[in-house]
Amino acid sequence: MRKFPLILLFILIVIGCSNQSNQSLEDQTLVNQLMADSDSEGLPFWTADTIKKTNPELVLLLDTLYRYVRREDYPSINLSEKREWMENYRNKLGGYYNRKHLGPDSVSLLDKANLVILTADRLWALDNNESTMGMVVNDGSTYTRRQFQEFNYFEKLLSLSESPEYTKAMEEEFAAWQDLQMIIEEIAFNLSSILYHGGSIRGVMNGNSSSKILMAHINIYKRDYSLLTNFPYTSIDYGVIPEGGRDLLSFCINGLIKESEYYLSSYEPKDQESLKSDYDALITAYKNLPGVIDNWIAKRKEVSSFAADNQSNELNLHTGELLVRLSNVISSLQ
């Protein structure tokens, strides 16, 4: 009778070893697939071998996001379609979380998805390639992950809604932010093109600033959520009213426009001609910026009106803080 538990234990060990062997075989098949991938439009092509060998399944999962965010028509896709796509992708991240047992099952799908993205951040940190190309590639993959995180934290805030009016205000605020984000990214891109014309560092500055813009917004959404749910909360770094943050951002951009004009005047005529479209786009974006900022500030105030008085005041300071952080991103281009 005592032999039965030993036989059962032996069977379990054999099954366990077999499962491990099958998993290793599947992983190796994925690694071989990634190594042979020559499609320059995909993430595997730009991913270091160390990362592909460490977690090939996660690389393939992130490739889906990478291709979507880098679609040529991505900026023009309407917000509801993007939210639907991100929801479907969130389910895939949740499935990965469950398969890999990354944490307790009790956490929400939104938190599961975010934990997978944080796992991807740690995975890509294994590649410490600090060459210009290495930094450009790393910024590109980071940017795609931040795109998803931004939508994910928006949905977390939306989950707090107790009325259709709040939901509508949040959706309008997020749409207004998308407009502001695009115009700030355009300004940063054109400033970099002029200030670093002819230098390989231009690509690094462009990619880095885009990721920083997204991260600044994600951090404000995190603060909003912590404040509204009474999570452990630390006061903001910059106690600035929205209008003060708006003026600072405008001042920083205007200063760099003047610097870019000085650089342009020192370039060869052929270089000045090649940069004319960048400069014209920069000036147009700067002229349109005040209206876009004011619209976003107004939508943020509508959202804050649904909170308690003390929370409403803090939310408005969050608005000012984000504008200060965007000013920091622009100033870092100098």
Side-chain angles (χ1 to χ4, degrees), residues 23 55 57-58 61 86-105 107-117 148:
Q23 185 62 51
N55 196 333
E57 185 179 352
L58 188 53
L61 183 57
M86 293 295 179
E87 182 181 358
N88 291 332
Y89 187 71
R90 186 178 301 112
N91 289 326
K92 293 180 181 179
L93 294 179
Y96 178 89
Y97 175 99
N98 293 333
R99 288 195 305 277
K100 299 299 181 180
H101 307 290
L102 296 182
D105 294 335
V107 301
S108 70
L109 176 60
L110 291 163
D111 288 332
K112 287 180 179 180
N114 191 55
L115 282 166
V116 176
I117 294 297
F148 174 79

Coordinates of all heavy atoms in Angstrom, one line a residue, residues 23 55 57-58 61 86-105 107-117 148:
Q23 N 7.8 22.9 -23.1 CA 7.9 24.3 -23.1 C 9.2 24.8 -23.6 O 9.2 25.8 -24.3 CB 7.7 24.8 -21.6 CG 7.7 26.3 -21.5 CD 6.5 26.9 -22.2 OE1 5.3 26.5 -22.0 NE2 6.7 27.9 -23.0
N55 N 12.9 35.9 -23.5 CA 11.4 35.8 -23.5 C 10.8 36.0 -24.9 O 10.3 37.1 -25.2 CB 10.8 36.8 -22.5 CG 9.4 36.5 -22.1 OD1 8.7 35.8 -22.9 ND2 9.0 36.9 -20.9
E57 N 8.2 34.8 -26.3 CA 6.7 34.9 -26.3 C 6.3 36.4 -26.1 O 5.4 36.9 -26.7 CB 6.0 34.0 -25.3 CG 4.5 34.1 -25.3 CD 3.8 33.1 -24.3 OE1 4.5 32.4 -23.7 OE2 2.6 33.2 -24.2
L58 N 7.0 37.0 -25.1 CA 6.6 38.4 -24.8 C 7.1 39.3 -26.0 O 6.4 40.3 -26.3 CB 7.3 38.8 -23.5 CG 6.9 40.2 -22.9 CD1 5.4 40.3 -22.8 CD2 7.6 40.5 -21.6
L61 N 4.3 39.1 -28.5 CA 3.2 39.8 -28.0 C 3.3 41.3 -28.1 O 2.4 42.0 -28.5 CB 2.9 39.4 -26.5 CG 1.7 40.0 -25.8 CD1 0.4 39.6 -26.6 CD2 1.6 39.5 -24.4
M86 N -7.2 48.7 -28.2 CA -6.4 48.6 -26.9 C -7.1 47.6 -25.9 O -6.5 46.9 -25.2 CB -6.2 50.0 -26.3 CG -5.3 50.9 -27.1 SD -3.6 50.3 -27.2 CE -2.8 51.7 -28.1
E87 N -8.4 47.6 -26.0 CA -9.2 46.7 -25.1 C -8.9 45.3 -25.5 O -8.7 44.4 -24.6 CB -10.7 47.0 -25.2 CG -11.5 46.1 -24.3 CD -13.0 46.4 -24.4 OE1 -13.4 47.3 -25.1 OE2 -13.8 45.7 -23.7
N88 N -8.9 45.0 -26.8 CA -8.7 43.6 -27.3 C -7.2 43.2 -26.9 O -7.0 42.1 -26.5 CB -8.9 43.5 -28.8 CG -10.3 43.7 -29.2 OD1 -11.2 43.3 -28.4 ND2 -10.6 44.2 -30.4
Y89 N -6.3 44.2 -27.1 CA -4.9 43.9 -26.7 C -4.7 43.7 -25.2 O -4.0 42.8 -24.8 CB -4.0 45.1 -27.2 CG -2.5 44.8 -27.1 CD1 -1.9 43.8 -27.9 CD2 -1.8 45.4 -26.1 CE1 -0.6 43.5 -27.8 CE2 -0.4 45.1 -26.0 CZ 0.2 44.2 -26.8 OH 1.5 43.9 -26.7
R90 N -5.5 44.4 -24.4 CA -5.5 44.3 -23.0 C -5.8 42.9 -22.6 O -5.3 42.3 -21.7 CB -6.4 45.3 -22.3 CG -6.3 45.3 -20.8 CD -7.3 46.4 -20.2 NE -6.9 47.7 -20.8 CZ -7.7 48.4 -21.6 NH1 -8.9 48.0 -22.0 NH2 -7.3 49.6 -22.0
N91 N -6.8 42.3 -23.3 CA -7.2 40.9 -23.0 C -6.1 39.9 -23.3 O -5.9 39.0 -22.6 CB -8.5 40.6 -23.8 CG -9.7 41.3 -23.3 OD1 -9.9 41.5 -22.2 ND2 -10.6 41.6 -24.3
K92 N -5.3 40.2 -24.4 CA -4.2 39.4 -24.7 C -3.1 39.5 -23.6 O -2.5 38.5 -23.2 CB -3.6 39.8 -26.0 CG -4.5 39.5 -27.2 CD -3.9 39.9 -28.5 CE -4.8 39.6 -29.7 NZ -4.2 40.1 -31.0
L93 N -2.9 40.7 -23.1 CA -1.9 40.8 -22.0 C -2.4 40.1 -20.8 O -1.6 39.5 -20.0 CB -1.7 42.3 -21.7 CG -1.0 43.2 -22.8 CD1 -0.9 44.6 -22.4 CD2 0.4 42.6 -23.2
G94 N -3.7 40.2 -20.5 CA -4.2 39.5 -19.3 C -4.1 38.0 -19.5 O -3.8 37.3 -18.5
G95 N -4.2 37.5 -20.7 CA -4.0 36.0 -20.9 C -2.6 35.6 -20.7 O -2.3 34.6 -20.1
Y96 N -1.7 36.5 -21.1 CA -0.2 36.2 -20.8 C 0.0 36.2 -19.3 O 0.7 35.4 -18.8 CB 0.6 37.3 -21.5 CG 2.1 37.1 -21.3 CD1 2.9 36.3 -22.1 CD2 2.7 37.8 -20.2 CE1 4.2 36.1 -21.9 CE2 4.1 37.6 -20.0 CZ 4.8 36.8 -20.8 OH 6.2 36.6 -20.6
Y97 N -0.5 37.2 -18.6 CA -0.4 37.3 -17.2 C -0.8 36.0 -16.5 O -0.1 35.5 -15.6 CB -1.2 38.5 -16.7 CG -1.2 38.7 -15.2 CD1 -0.4 39.6 -14.5 CD2 -2.1 38.0 -14.4 CE1 -0.4 39.8 -13.1 CE2 -2.2 38.1 -13.0 CZ -1.3 39.1 -12.4 OH -1.4 39.2 -11.0
N98 N -2.0 35.5 -16.9 CA -2.5 34.3 -16.3 C -1.7 33.1 -16.6 O -1.4 32.3 -15.7 CB -4.0 34.1 -16.8 CG -4.9 35.2 -16.3 OD1 -4.7 35.8 -15.2 ND2 -6.0 35.4 -17.0
R99 N -1.2 33.0 -17.9 CA -0.4 31.8 -18.2 C 0.9 31.8 -17.5 O 1.4 30.7 -17.1 CB -0.1 31.8 -19.8 CG -1.3 31.5 -20.6 CD -0.9 31.2 -22.1 NE -0.1 32.2 -22.7 CZ -0.6 33.3 -23.2 NH1 -1.9 33.5 -23.3 NH2 0.2 34.2 -23.8
K100 N 1.5 32.9 -17.3 CA 2.8 33.0 -16.7 C 2.7 33.2 -15.2 O 3.8 33.2 -14.5 CB 3.6 34.2 -17.3 CG 3.9 34.1 -18.8 CD 4.7 32.8 -19.1 CE 4.9 32.7 -20.6 NZ 5.7 31.5 -21.0
H101 N 1.5 33.3 -14.6 CA 1.3 33.4 -13.2 C 2.2 34.5 -12.6 O 3.0 34.4 -11.7 CB 1.7 32.1 -12.5 CG 1.0 30.9 -13.0 ND1 -0.4 30.7 -12.8 CD2 1.4 29.8 -13.7 CE1 -0.8 29.6 -13.4 NE2 0.3 29.0 -14.0
L102 N 2.0 35.7 -13.2 CA 2.8 36.9 -12.8 C 2.4 37.5 -11.5 O 3.1 38.4 -11.0 CB 2.8 37.9 -13.9 CG 3.4 37.5 -15.3 CD1 3.3 38.7 -16.2 CD2 4.8 37.1 -15.1
G103 N 1.2 37.1 -11.0 CA 0.8 37.6 -9.7 C -0.6 37.0 -9.4 O -1.0 36.1 -10.0
P104 N -1.2 37.6 -8.3 CA -2.5 37.0 -7.9 C -3.6 37.2 -9.0 O -3.6 38.2 -9.8 CB -2.9 37.9 -6.7 CG -2.1 39.1 -6.8 CD -0.8 38.7 -7.5
D105 N -4.5 36.2 -9.0 CA -5.6 36.3 -10.0 C -6.7 37.3 -9.7 O -7.4 37.7 -10.5 CB -6.3 34.9 -10.0 CG -5.4 33.8 -10.6 OD1 -4.5 34.1 -11.4 OD2 -5.7 32.6 -10.3
V107 N -6.4 40.5 -9.0 CA -6.2 41.9 -9.5 C -7.0 42.1 -10.8 O -7.4 41.1 -11.5 CB -4.7 42.2 -9.8 CG1 -3.9 42.1 -8.5 CG2 -4.2 41.4 -10.9
S108 N -7.3 43.3 -11.1 CA -8.2 43.6 -12.3 C -7.4 43.4 -13.6 O -6.2 43.3 -13.6 CB -8.6 45.1 -12.2 OG -7.5 46.0 -12.4
L109 N -8.1 43.3 -14.7 CA -7.5 43.1 -16.0 C -6.6 44.3 -16.3 O -5.5 44.1 -16.9 CB -8.6 42.9 -17.0 CG -8.1 42.8 -18.5 CD1 -7.2 41.6 -18.7 CD2 -9.3 42.8 -19.5
L110 N -7.0 45.5 -15.9 CA -6.2 46.7 -16.2 C -4.9 46.6 -15.5 O -3.8 47.0 -16.1 CB -7.0 47.9 -15.7 CG -8.2 48.3 -16.5 CD1 -9.1 49.3 -15.7 CD2 -7.9 48.9 -17.8
D111 N -4.9 46.1 -14.2 CA -3.6 46.0 -13.5 C -2.8 44.8 -14.0 O -1.6 44.9 -14.0 CB -3.9 45.8 -12.0 CG -4.4 47.1 -11.3 OD1 -4.1 48.2 -11.8 OD2 -5.2 47.0 -10.4
K112 N -3.4 43.8 -14.4 CA -2.7 42.7 -15.0 C -2.0 43.1 -16.3 O -0.8 42.8 -16.5 CB -3.6 41.5 -15.4 CG -4.2 40.7 -14.2 CD -5.1 39.6 -14.7 CE -5.6 38.8 -13.5 NZ -6.6 37.7 -13.9
A113 N -2.7 43.9 -17.1 CA -2.1 44.4 -18.4 C -0.9 45.3 -18.1 O 0.2 45.2 -18.7 CB -3.1 45.1 -19.2
N114 N -1.0 46.1 -17.1 CA 0.1 47.1 -16.7 C 1.3 46.3 -16.2 O 2.4 46.7 -16.5 CB -0.4 48.1 -15.7 CG 0.6 49.2 -15.5 OD1 1.0 49.9 -16.5 ND2 1.0 49.4 -14.3
L115 N 1.0 45.3 -15.4 CA 2.1 44.5 -14.9 C 2.9 43.8 -16.0 O 4.1 43.6 -15.9 CB 1.6 43.4 -13.9 CG 1.3 44.0 -12.5 CD1 0.5 43.0 -11.7 CD2 2.6 44.4 -11.8
V116 N 2.2 43.3 -17.1 CA 2.9 42.7 -18.2 C 3.8 43.8 -18.9 O 4.9 43.5 -19.3 CB 1.9 42.1 -19.2 CG1 2.6 41.6 -20.5 CG2 1.1 41.0 -18.5
I117 N 3.2 45.0 -19.1 CA 4.0 46.1 -19.7 C 5.3 46.4 -18.8 O 6.4 46.6 -19.4 CB 3.2 47.3 -19.9 CG1 2.1 47.1 -20.9 CG2 4.1 48.5 -20.3 CD1 2.5 46.7 -22.3
F148 N 0.3 52.3 -24.9 CA -0.7 51.4 -24.3 C -1.0 51.8 -22.9 O -2.1 51.9 -22.4 CB -0.3 49.9 -24.4 CG -1.2 49.0 -23.6 CD1 -2.4 48.7 -24.2 CD2 -1.0 48.7 -22.3 CE1 -3.3 47.9 -23.5 CE2 -1.9 47.9 -21.6 CZ -3.1 47.5 -22.2

